[in-house]
Amino acid sequence: MPSAAKPTVYVVDDDADVLGSLRFLLETDGFDVRTFRNGAALLNAVRCTGVDCFVIDYKMPDMNGIDLAGRLRNRDIAAPVILITGYPDENISARAAAAGVRHVLLKPLLEESLATRIRGAIQEGRPVSGQRIER
């Protein structure tokens, strides 16, 4: 079987332990992973190409994940975004969808759930609206 390039996933979370765990989980699952401690660091590093998917924490001190997803879209960065949160609310899905977020997943994350969602989002490859929180 020929080797294909690993999909590149950028992960943003202000919690160093969560960030390390997600890196380990995703690298073990065959992804090339870059991590960022906040939205500003991601925005300073990201270009329009080379990223297959973003995994972004919702609640961060400098800007929340929905605002960060919106800023990526404003830069014409179309790679899918998966929002992760430990703080779900009634309106998060609608706000996330309006920012082009593909899925909203609740922490703690199940290994299969995150990797499966990332692969599916990469295959579908474009922002969509009307998503729901997945448990």
PDB file of all heavy atoms in Angstrom, residues 68-107:
ATOM      1  N   LEU A  68     -12.312  32.742  16.802  1.00  0.00           N
ATOM      2  CA  LEU A  68     -11.114  32.328  16.070  1.00  0.00           C
ATOM      3  C   LEU A  68     -11.492  31.693  14.733  1.00  0.00           C
ATOM      4  O   LEU A  68     -10.898  32.002  13.698  1.00  0.00           O
ATOM      5  CB  LEU A  68     -10.285  31.357  16.919  1.00  0.00           C
ATOM      6  CG  LEU A  68      -9.020  30.812  16.288  1.00  0.00           C
ATOM      7  CD1 LEU A  68      -8.089  31.924  15.807  1.00  0.00           C
ATOM      8  CD2 LEU A  68      -8.297  29.899  17.292  1.00  0.00           C
ATOM      9  N   ALA A  69     -12.514  30.835  14.738  1.00  0.00           N
ATOM     10  CA  ALA A  69     -12.977  30.222  13.481  1.00  0.00           C
ATOM     11  C   ALA A  69     -13.437  31.301  12.505  1.00  0.00           C
ATOM     12  O   ALA A  69     -13.133  31.240  11.308  1.00  0.00           O
ATOM     13  CB  ALA A  69     -14.106  29.231  13.757  1.00  0.00           C
ATOM     14  N   GLY A  70     -14.147  32.294  13.000  1.00  0.00           N
ATOM     15  CA  GLY A  70     -14.589  33.391  12.146  1.00  0.00           C
ATOM     16  C   GLY A  70     -13.423  34.163  11.549  1.00  0.00           C
ATOM     17  O   GLY A  70     -13.452  34.544  10.372  1.00  0.00           O
ATOM     18  N   ARG A  71     -12.377  34.366  12.335  1.00  0.00           N
ATOM     19  CA  ARG A  71     -11.192  35.068  11.820  1.00  0.00           C
ATOM     20  C   ARG A  71     -10.485  34.249  10.751  1.00  0.00           C
ATOM     21  O   ARG A  71      -9.960  34.797   9.781  1.00  0.00           O
ATOM     22  CB  ARG A  71     -10.240  35.407  12.957  1.00  0.00           C
ATOM     23  CG  ARG A  71     -10.786  36.495  13.860  1.00  0.00           C
ATOM     24  CD  ARG A  71      -9.800  36.860  14.930  1.00  0.00           C
ATOM     25  NE  ARG A  71     -10.396  37.806  15.854  1.00  0.00           N
ATOM     26  CZ  ARG A  71      -9.699  38.537  16.691  1.00  0.00           C
ATOM     27  NH1 ARG A  71      -8.374  38.442  16.733  1.00  0.00           N
ATOM     28  NH2 ARG A  71     -10.296  39.369  17.517  1.00  0.00           N
ATOM     29  N   LEU A  72     -10.468  32.931  10.920  1.00  0.00           N
ATOM     30  CA  LEU A  72      -9.886  32.077   9.873  1.00  0.00           C
ATOM     31  C   LEU A  72     -10.681  32.206   8.589  1.00  0.00           C
ATOM     32  O   LEU A  72     -10.114  32.330   7.501  1.00  0.00           O
ATOM     33  CB  LEU A  72      -9.847  30.616  10.337  1.00  0.00           C
ATOM     34  CG  LEU A  72      -8.890  30.293  11.479  1.00  0.00           C
ATOM     35  CD1 LEU A  72      -9.129  28.882  12.003  1.00  0.00           C
ATOM     36  CD2 LEU A  72      -7.442  30.481  11.045  1.00  0.00           C
ATOM     37  N   ARG A  73     -12.003  32.185   8.684  1.00  0.00           N
ATOM     38  CA  ARG A  73     -12.852  32.313   7.504  1.00  0.00           C
ATOM     39  C   ARG A  73     -12.666  33.678   6.848  1.00  0.00           C
ATOM     40  O   ARG A  73     -12.654  33.786   5.623  1.00  0.00           O
ATOM     41  CB  ARG A  73     -14.329  32.101   7.851  1.00  0.00           C
ATOM     42  CG  ARG A  73     -14.635  30.709   8.373  1.00  0.00           C
ATOM     43  CD  ARG A  73     -14.304  29.618   7.360  1.00  0.00           C
ATOM     44  NE  ARG A  73     -14.536  28.312   7.947  1.00  0.00           N
ATOM     45  CZ  ARG A  73     -13.609  27.383   8.072  1.00  0.00           C
ATOM     46  NH1 ARG A  73     -12.379  27.587   7.642  1.00  0.00           N
ATOM     47  NH2 ARG A  73     -13.893  26.226   8.598  1.00  0.00           N
ATOM     48  N   ASN A  74     -12.502  34.728   7.656  1.00  0.00           N
ATOM     49  CA  ASN A  74     -12.269  36.072   7.109  1.00  0.00           C
ATOM     50  C   ASN A  74     -10.958  36.153   6.330  1.00  0.00           C
ATOM     51  O   ASN A  74     -10.801  37.021   5.470  1.00  0.00           O
ATOM     52  CB  ASN A  74     -12.280  37.122   8.216  1.00  0.00           C
ATOM     53  CG  ASN A  74     -13.673  37.370   8.757  1.00  0.00           C
ATOM     54  OD1 ASN A  74     -14.664  37.073   8.103  1.00  0.00           O
ATOM     55  ND2 ASN A  74     -13.749  37.893   9.964  1.00  0.00           N
ATOM     56  N   ARG A  75     -10.033  35.263   6.626  1.00  0.00           N
ATOM     57  CA  ARG A  75      -8.767  35.191   5.893  1.00  0.00           C
ATOM     58  C   ARG A  75      -8.859  34.219   4.718  1.00  0.00           C
ATOM     59  O   ARG A  75      -7.844  33.849   4.138  1.00  0.00           O
ATOM     60  CB  ARG A  75      -7.640  34.742   6.825  1.00  0.00           C
ATOM     61  CG  ARG A  75      -7.277  35.744   7.879  1.00  0.00           C
ATOM     62  CD  ARG A  75      -6.127  35.212   8.684  1.00  0.00           C
ATOM     63  NE  ARG A  75      -5.659  36.192   9.643  1.00  0.00           N
ATOM     64  CZ  ARG A  75      -4.525  36.080  10.302  1.00  0.00           C
ATOM     65  NH1 ARG A  75      -3.737  35.027  10.101  1.00  0.00           N
ATOM     66  NH2 ARG A  75      -4.158  36.993  11.159  1.00  0.00           N
ATOM     67  N   ASP A  76     -10.036  33.768   4.397  1.00  0.00           N
ATOM     68  CA  ASP A  76     -10.265  32.805   3.318  1.00  0.00           C
ATOM     69  C   ASP A  76      -9.573  31.475   3.554  1.00  0.00           C
ATOM     70  O   ASP A  76      -9.159  30.799   2.612  1.00  0.00           O
ATOM     71  CB  ASP A  76      -9.865  33.390   1.959  1.00  0.00           C
ATOM     72  CG  ASP A  76     -10.746  34.556   1.561  1.00  0.00           C
ATOM     73  OD1 ASP A  76     -11.952  34.507   1.866  1.00  0.00           O
ATOM     74  OD2 ASP A  76     -10.233  35.510   0.968  1.00  0.00           O
ATOM     75  N   ILE A  77      -9.447  31.086   4.808  1.00  0.00           N
ATOM     76  CA  ILE A  77      -8.903  29.772   5.145  1.00  0.00           C
ATOM     77  C   ILE A  77     -10.098  28.836   5.291  1.00  0.00           C
ATOM     78  O   ILE A  77     -10.913  28.982   6.197  1.00  0.00           O
ATOM     79  CB  ILE A  77      -8.064  29.829   6.438  1.00  0.00           C
ATOM     80  CG1 ILE A  77      -6.865  30.760   6.218  1.00  0.00           C
ATOM     81  CG2 ILE A  77      -7.619  28.431   6.849  1.00  0.00           C
ATOM     82  CD1 ILE A  77      -6.064  31.061   7.452  1.00  0.00           C
ATOM     83  N   ALA A  78     -10.200  27.900   4.376  1.00  0.00           N
ATOM     84  CA  ALA A  78     -11.407  27.076   4.281  1.00  0.00           C
ATOM     85  C   ALA A  78     -11.278  25.702   4.914  1.00  0.00           C
ATOM     86  O   ALA A  78     -12.238  24.932   4.887  1.00  0.00           O
ATOM     87  CB  ALA A  78     -11.802  26.924   2.810  1.00  0.00           C
ATOM     88  N   ALA A  79     -10.134  25.369   5.501  1.00  0.00           N
ATOM     89  CA  ALA A  79      -9.993  24.052   6.138  1.00  0.00           C
ATOM     90  C   ALA A  79     -11.075  23.897   7.204  1.00  0.00           C
ATOM     91  O   ALA A  79     -11.419  24.863   7.892  1.00  0.00           O
ATOM     92  CB  ALA A  79      -8.607  23.909   6.756  1.00  0.00           C
ATOM     93  N   PRO A  80     -11.628  22.704   7.341  1.00  0.00           N
ATOM     94  CA  PRO A  80     -12.699  22.505   8.317  1.00  0.00           C
ATOM     95  C   PRO A  80     -12.234  22.780   9.746  1.00  0.00           C
ATOM     96  O   PRO A  80     -11.068  22.564  10.084  1.00  0.00           O
ATOM     97  CB  PRO A  80     -13.102  21.046   8.135  1.00  0.00           C
ATOM     98  CG  PRO A  80     -12.082  20.424   7.278  1.00  0.00           C
ATOM     99  CD  PRO A  80     -11.299  21.493   6.608  1.00  0.00           C
ATOM    100  N   VAL A  81     -13.181  23.234  10.570  1.00  0.00           N
ATOM    101  CA  VAL A  81     -12.930  23.514  11.982  1.00  0.00           C
ATOM    102  C   VAL A  81     -13.838  22.629  12.822  1.00  0.00           C
ATOM    103  O   VAL A  81     -15.043  22.549  12.571  1.00  0.00           O
ATOM    104  CB  VAL A  81     -13.210  24.997  12.324  1.00  0.00           C
ATOM    105  CG1 VAL A  81     -13.077  25.244  13.826  1.00  0.00           C
ATOM    106  CG2 VAL A  81     -12.287  25.914  11.541  1.00  0.00           C
ATOM    107  N   ILE A  82     -13.240  21.992  13.819  1.00  0.00           N
ATOM    108  CA  ILE A  82     -13.989  21.233  14.810  1.00  0.00           C
ATOM    109  C   ILE A  82     -13.784  21.952  16.136  1.00  0.00           C
ATOM    110  O   ILE A  82     -12.650  22.175  16.560  1.00  0.00           O
ATOM    111  CB  ILE A  82     -13.503  19.777  14.889  1.00  0.00           C
ATOM    112  CG1 ILE A  82     -13.785  19.070  13.561  1.00  0.00           C
ATOM    113  CG2 ILE A  82     -14.168  19.058  16.064  1.00  0.00           C
ATOM    114  CD1 ILE A  82     -13.219  17.681  13.454  1.00  0.00           C
ATOM    115  N   LEU A  83     -14.882  22.334  16.772  1.00  0.00           N
ATOM    116  CA  LEU A  83     -14.840  23.043  18.041  1.00  0.00           C
ATOM    117  C   LEU A  83     -14.993  22.024  19.161  1.00  0.00           C
ATOM    118  O   LEU A  83     -15.860  21.153  19.093  1.00  0.00           O
ATOM    119  CB  LEU A  83     -15.985  24.060  18.096  1.00  0.00           C
ATOM    120  CG  LEU A  83     -15.969  25.051  19.246  1.00  0.00           C
ATOM    121  CD1 LEU A  83     -14.869  26.092  19.035  1.00  0.00           C
ATOM    122  CD2 LEU A  83     -17.326  25.738  19.356  1.00  0.00           C
ATOM    123  N   ILE A  84     -14.142  22.120  20.178  1.00  0.00           N
ATOM    124  CA  ILE A  84     -14.265  21.253  21.345  1.00  0.00           C
ATOM    125  C   ILE A  84     -14.599  22.134  22.546  1.00  0.00           C
ATOM    126  O   ILE A  84     -14.109  23.260  22.660  1.00  0.00           O
ATOM    127  CB  ILE A  84     -12.982  20.421  21.588  1.00  0.00           C
ATOM    128  CG1 ILE A  84     -11.754  21.311  21.750  1.00  0.00           C
ATOM    129  CG2 ILE A  84     -12.789  19.411  20.468  1.00  0.00           C
ATOM    130  CD1 ILE A  84     -10.479  20.555  22.104  1.00  0.00           C
ATOM    131  N   THR A  85     -15.455  21.611  23.418  1.00  0.00           N
ATOM    132  CA  THR A  85     -15.864  22.420  24.559  1.00  0.00           C
ATOM    133  C   THR A  85     -16.267  21.567  25.750  1.00  0.00           C
ATOM    134  O   THR A  85     -16.804  20.477  25.590  1.00  0.00           O
ATOM    135  CB  THR A  85     -17.034  23.366  24.197  1.00  0.00           C
ATOM    136  OG1 THR A  85     -17.332  24.193  25.317  1.00  0.00           O
ATOM    137  CG2 THR A  85     -18.269  22.606  23.773  1.00  0.00           C
ATOM    138  N   GLY A  86     -15.992  22.087  26.907  1.00  0.00           N
ATOM    139  CA  GLY A  86     -16.492  21.520  28.147  1.00  0.00           C
ATOM    140  C   GLY A  86     -17.634  22.363  28.683  1.00  0.00           C
ATOM    141  O   GLY A  86     -18.141  22.123  29.767  1.00  0.00           O
ATOM    142  N   TYR A  87     -18.027  23.399  27.926  1.00  0.00           N
ATOM    143  CA  TYR A  87     -19.038  24.363  28.346  1.00  0.00           C
ATOM    144  C   TYR A  87     -20.135  24.507  27.295  1.00  0.00           C
ATOM    145  O   TYR A  87     -20.291  25.572  26.700  1.00  0.00           O
ATOM    146  CB  TYR A  87     -18.391  25.730  28.594  1.00  0.00           C
ATOM    147  CG  TYR A  87     -17.282  25.691  29.589  1.00  0.00           C
ATOM    148  CD1 TYR A  87     -15.959  25.507  29.176  1.00  0.00           C
ATOM    149  CD2 TYR A  87     -17.539  25.803  30.952  1.00  0.00           C
ATOM    150  CE1 TYR A  87     -14.932  25.453  30.096  1.00  0.00           C
ATOM    151  CE2 TYR A  87     -16.504  25.751  31.878  1.00  0.00           C
ATOM    152  CZ  TYR A  87     -15.208  25.573  31.443  1.00  0.00           C
ATOM    153  OH  TYR A  87     -14.190  25.512  32.350  1.00  0.00           O
ATOM    154  N   PRO A  88     -20.909  23.464  27.054  1.00  0.00           N
ATOM    155  CA  PRO A  88     -21.944  23.587  26.031  1.00  0.00           C
ATOM    156  C   PRO A  88     -23.083  24.486  26.510  1.00  0.00           C
ATOM    157  O   PRO A  88     -23.343  24.579  27.702  1.00  0.00           O
ATOM    158  CB  PRO A  88     -22.427  22.149  25.851  1.00  0.00           C
ATOM    159  CG  PRO A  88     -22.192  21.519  27.188  1.00  0.00           C
ATOM    160  CD  PRO A  88     -20.924  22.162  27.703  1.00  0.00           C
ATOM    161  N   ASP A  89     -23.701  25.159  25.584  1.00  0.00           N
ATOM    162  CA  ASP A  89     -24.909  25.906  25.887  1.00  0.00           C
ATOM    163  C   ASP A  89     -25.865  25.760  24.711  1.00  0.00           C
ATOM    164  O   ASP A  89     -25.504  25.205  23.677  1.00  0.00           O
ATOM    165  CB  ASP A  89     -24.619  27.373  26.233  1.00  0.00           C
ATOM    166  CG  ASP A  89     -24.088  28.176  25.058  1.00  0.00           C
ATOM    167  OD1 ASP A  89     -24.660  28.084  23.946  1.00  0.00           O
ATOM    168  OD2 ASP A  89     -23.115  28.917  25.238  1.00  0.00           O
ATOM    169  N   GLU A  90     -27.074  26.263  24.876  1.00  0.00           N
ATOM    170  CA  GLU A  90     -28.112  26.080  23.862  1.00  0.00           C
ATOM    171  C   GLU A  90     -27.744  26.682  22.514  1.00  0.00           C
ATOM    172  O   GLU A  90     -28.135  26.181  21.478  1.00  0.00           O
ATOM    173  CB  GLU A  90     -29.415  26.719  24.344  1.00  0.00           C
ATOM    174  CG  GLU A  90     -29.991  26.086  25.577  1.00  0.00           C
ATOM    175  CD  GLU A  90     -31.176  26.872  26.103  1.00  0.00           C
ATOM    176  OE1 GLU A  90     -31.589  27.862  25.468  1.00  0.00           O
ATOM    177  OE2 GLU A  90     -31.695  26.486  27.154  1.00  0.00           O
ATOM    178  N   ASN A  91     -27.035  27.779  22.518  1.00  0.00           N
ATOM    179  CA  ASN A  91     -26.795  28.528  21.288  1.00  0.00           C
ATOM    180  C   ASN A  91     -25.442  28.250  20.629  1.00  0.00           C
ATOM    181  O   ASN A  91     -25.163  28.804  19.576  1.00  0.00           O
ATOM    182  CB  ASN A  91     -26.916  30.026  21.578  1.00  0.00           C
ATOM    183  CG  ASN A  91     -28.281  30.368  22.112  1.00  0.00           C
ATOM    184  OD1 ASN A  91     -29.277  29.875  21.611  1.00  0.00           O
ATOM    185  ND2 ASN A  91     -28.325  31.188  23.145  1.00  0.00           N
ATOM    186  N   ILE A  92     -24.619  27.429  21.239  1.00  0.00           N
ATOM    187  CA  ILE A  92     -23.261  27.254  20.718  1.00  0.00           C
ATOM    188  C   ILE A  92     -23.269  26.670  19.309  1.00  0.00           C
ATOM    189  O   ILE A  92     -22.479  27.073  18.464  1.00  0.00           O
ATOM    190  CB  ILE A  92     -22.382  26.434  21.686  1.00  0.00           C
ATOM    191  CG1 ILE A  92     -20.914  26.596  21.296  1.00  0.00           C
ATOM    192  CG2 ILE A  92     -22.771  24.972  21.700  1.00  0.00           C
ATOM    193  CD1 ILE A  92     -19.943  26.064  22.339  1.00  0.00           C
ATOM    194  N   SER A  93     -24.155  25.727  19.043  1.00  0.00           N
ATOM    195  CA  SER A  93     -24.183  25.101  17.711  1.00  0.00           C
ATOM    196  C   SER A  93     -24.507  26.110  16.622  1.00  0.00           C
ATOM    197  O   SER A  93     -23.862  26.131  15.574  1.00  0.00           O
ATOM    198  CB  SER A  93     -25.189  23.960  17.666  1.00  0.00           C
ATOM    199  OG  SER A  93     -24.743  22.888  18.453  1.00  0.00           O
ATOM    200  N   ALA A  94     -25.500  26.960  16.873  1.00  0.00           N
ATOM    201  CA  ALA A  94     -25.883  27.954  15.860  1.00  0.00           C
ATOM    202  C   ALA A  94     -24.771  28.970  15.656  1.00  0.00           C
ATOM    203  O   ALA A  94     -24.452  29.330  14.519  1.00  0.00           O
ATOM    204  CB  ALA A  94     -27.176  28.658  16.280  1.00  0.00           C
ATOM    205  N   ARG A  95     -24.162  29.437  16.749  1.00  0.00           N
ATOM    206  CA  ARG A  95     -23.063  30.403  16.625  1.00  0.00           C
ATOM    207  C   ARG A  95     -21.870  29.770  15.915  1.00  0.00           C
ATOM    208  O   ARG A  95     -21.215  30.404  15.088  1.00  0.00           O
ATOM    209  CB  ARG A  95     -22.651  30.931  18.002  1.00  0.00           C
ATOM    210  CG  ARG A  95     -23.719  31.812  18.632  1.00  0.00           C
ATOM    211  CD  ARG A  95     -23.235  32.550  19.871  1.00  0.00           C
ATOM    212  NE  ARG A  95     -22.223  31.906  20.660  1.00  0.00           N
ATOM    213  CZ  ARG A  95     -22.451  31.170  21.743  1.00  0.00           C
ATOM    214  NH1 ARG A  95     -23.690  30.971  22.174  1.00  0.00           N
ATOM    215  NH2 ARG A  95     -21.458  30.626  22.415  1.00  0.00           N
ATOM    216  N   ALA A  96     -21.576  28.514  16.250  1.00  0.00           N
ATOM    217  CA  ALA A  96     -20.454  27.812  15.623  1.00  0.00           C
ATOM    218  C   ALA A  96     -20.707  27.622  14.123  1.00  0.00           C
ATOM    219  O   ALA A  96     -19.824  27.863  13.303  1.00  0.00           O
ATOM    220  CB  ALA A  96     -20.226  26.472  16.307  1.00  0.00           C
ATOM    221  N   ALA A  97     -21.917  27.207  13.768  1.00  0.00           N
ATOM    222  CA  ALA A  97     -22.245  26.994  12.354  1.00  0.00           C
ATOM    223  C   ALA A  97     -22.123  28.286  11.565  1.00  0.00           C
ATOM    224  O   ALA A  97     -21.636  28.283  10.429  1.00  0.00           O
ATOM    225  CB  ALA A  97     -23.652  26.418  12.219  1.00  0.00           C
ATOM    226  N   ALA A  98     -22.525  29.406  12.160  1.00  0.00           N
ATOM    227  CA  ALA A  98     -22.429  30.696  11.476  1.00  0.00           C
ATOM    228  C   ALA A  98     -20.978  31.073  11.194  1.00  0.00           C
ATOM    229  O   ALA A  98     -20.687  31.797  10.241  1.00  0.00           O
ATOM    230  CB  ALA A  98     -23.098  31.785  12.308  1.00  0.00           C
ATOM    231  N   ALA A  99     -20.045  30.555  12.011  1.00  0.00           N
ATOM    232  CA  ALA A  99     -18.615  30.817  11.807  1.00  0.00           C
ATOM    233  C   ALA A  99     -17.960  29.752  10.933  1.00  0.00           C
ATOM    234  O   ALA A  99     -16.743  29.755  10.764  1.00  0.00           O
ATOM    235  CB  ALA A  99     -17.903  30.904  13.163  1.00  0.00           C
ATOM    236  N   GLY A 100     -18.749  28.819  10.391  1.00  0.00           N
ATOM    237  CA  GLY A 100     -18.207  27.790   9.508  1.00  0.00           C
ATOM    238  C   GLY A 100     -17.639  26.587  10.221  1.00  0.00           C
ATOM    239  O   GLY A 100     -16.878  25.819   9.645  1.00  0.00           O
ATOM    240  N   VAL A 101     -18.013  26.390  11.482  1.00  0.00           N
ATOM    241  CA  VAL A 101     -17.525  25.243  12.251  1.00  0.00           C
ATOM    242  C   VAL A 101     -18.308  24.003  11.838  1.00  0.00           C
ATOM    243  O   VAL A 101     -19.536  24.024  11.782  1.00  0.00           O
ATOM    244  CB  VAL A 101     -17.679  25.493  13.774  1.00  0.00           C
ATOM    245  CG1 VAL A 101     -17.354  24.248  14.574  1.00  0.00           C
ATOM    246  CG2 VAL A 101     -16.794  26.666  14.189  1.00  0.00           C
ATOM    247  N   ARG A 102     -17.581  22.940  11.545  1.00  0.00           N
ATOM    248  CA  ARG A 102     -18.202  21.706  11.059  1.00  0.00           C
ATOM    249  C   ARG A 102     -18.881  20.916  12.169  1.00  0.00           C
ATOM    250  O   ARG A 102     -19.992  20.445  12.013  1.00  0.00           O
ATOM    251  CB  ARG A 102     -17.147  20.843  10.374  1.00  0.00           C
ATOM    252  CG  ARG A 102     -17.737  19.585   9.796  1.00  0.00           C
ATOM    253  CD  ARG A 102     -16.816  18.907   8.847  1.00  0.00           C
ATOM    254  NE  ARG A 102     -16.430  19.743   7.727  1.00  0.00           N
ATOM    255  CZ  ARG A 102     -17.199  20.009   6.676  1.00  0.00           C
ATOM    256  NH1 ARG A 102     -18.411  19.531   6.610  1.00  0.00           N
ATOM    257  NH2 ARG A 102     -16.764  20.754   5.700  1.00  0.00           N
ATOM    258  N   HIS A 103     -18.212  20.716  13.296  1.00  0.00           N
ATOM    259  CA  HIS A 103     -18.745  19.917  14.400  1.00  0.00           C
ATOM    260  C   HIS A 103     -18.407  20.591  15.718  1.00  0.00           C
ATOM    261  O   HIS A 103     -17.370  21.252  15.831  1.00  0.00           O
ATOM    262  CB  HIS A 103     -18.125  18.510  14.426  1.00  0.00           C
ATOM    263  CG  HIS A 103     -18.430  17.685  13.223  1.00  0.00           C
ATOM    264  ND1 HIS A 103     -19.647  17.072  13.029  1.00  0.00           N
ATOM    265  CD2 HIS A 103     -17.685  17.375  12.145  1.00  0.00           C
ATOM    266  CE1 HIS A 103     -19.620  16.411  11.882  1.00  0.00           C
ATOM    267  NE2 HIS A 103     -18.442  16.586  11.325  1.00  0.00           N
ATOM    268  N   VAL A 104     -19.249  20.364  16.714  1.00  0.00           N
ATOM    269  CA  VAL A 104     -18.974  20.763  18.090  1.00  0.00           C
ATOM    270  C   VAL A 104     -18.963  19.483  18.905  1.00  0.00           C
ATOM    271  O   VAL A 104     -19.957  18.752  18.942  1.00  0.00           O
ATOM    272  CB  VAL A 104     -20.052  21.735  18.629  1.00  0.00           C
ATOM    273  CG1 VAL A 104     -19.751  22.098  20.084  1.00  0.00           C
ATOM    274  CG2 VAL A 104     -20.145  22.980  17.764  1.00  0.00           C
ATOM    275  N   LEU A 105     -17.816  19.187  19.513  1.00  0.00           N
ATOM    276  CA  LEU A 105     -17.666  17.972  20.319  1.00  0.00           C
ATOM    277  C   LEU A 105     -17.473  18.352  21.776  1.00  0.00           C
ATOM    278  O   LEU A 105     -16.763  19.315  22.091  1.00  0.00           O
ATOM    279  CB  LEU A 105     -16.464  17.158  19.849  1.00  0.00           C
ATOM    280  CG  LEU A 105     -16.510  16.611  18.432  1.00  0.00           C
ATOM    281  CD1 LEU A 105     -15.201  15.900  18.105  1.00  0.00           C
ATOM    282  CD2 LEU A 105     -17.674  15.656  18.264  1.00  0.00           C
ATOM    283  N   LEU A 106     -18.072  17.560  22.663  1.00  0.00           N
ATOM    284  CA  LEU A 106     -17.959  17.814  24.087  1.00  0.00           C
ATOM    285  C   LEU A 106     -16.749  17.113  24.683  1.00  0.00           C
ATOM    286  O   LEU A 106     -16.464  15.965  24.345  1.00  0.00           O
ATOM    287  CB  LEU A 106     -19.231  17.351  24.808  1.00  0.00           C
ATOM    288  CG  LEU A 106     -20.512  18.083  24.433  1.00  0.00           C
ATOM    289  CD1 LEU A 106     -21.699  17.472  25.169  1.00  0.00           C
ATOM    290  CD2 LEU A 106     -20.395  19.561  24.734  1.00  0.00           C
ATOM    291  N   LYS A 107     -16.040  17.822  25.574  1.00  0.00           N
ATOM    292  CA  LYS A 107     -14.972  17.203  26.351  1.00  0.00           C
ATOM    293  C   LYS A 107     -15.635  16.426  27.483  1.00  0.00           C
ATOM    294  O   LYS A 107     -16.688  16.823  27.960  1.00  0.00           O
ATOM    295  CB  LYS A 107     -14.062  18.278  26.953  1.00  0.00           C
ATOM    296  CG  LYS A 107     -13.235  19.041  25.953  1.00  0.00           C
ATOM    297  CD  LYS A 107     -12.388  20.053  26.706  1.00  0.00           C
ATOM    298  CE  LYS A 107     -11.591  20.930  25.795  1.00  0.00           C
ATOM    299  NZ  LYS A 107     -10.832  21.943  26.526  1.00  0.00           N
TER     300      LYS A 107
END
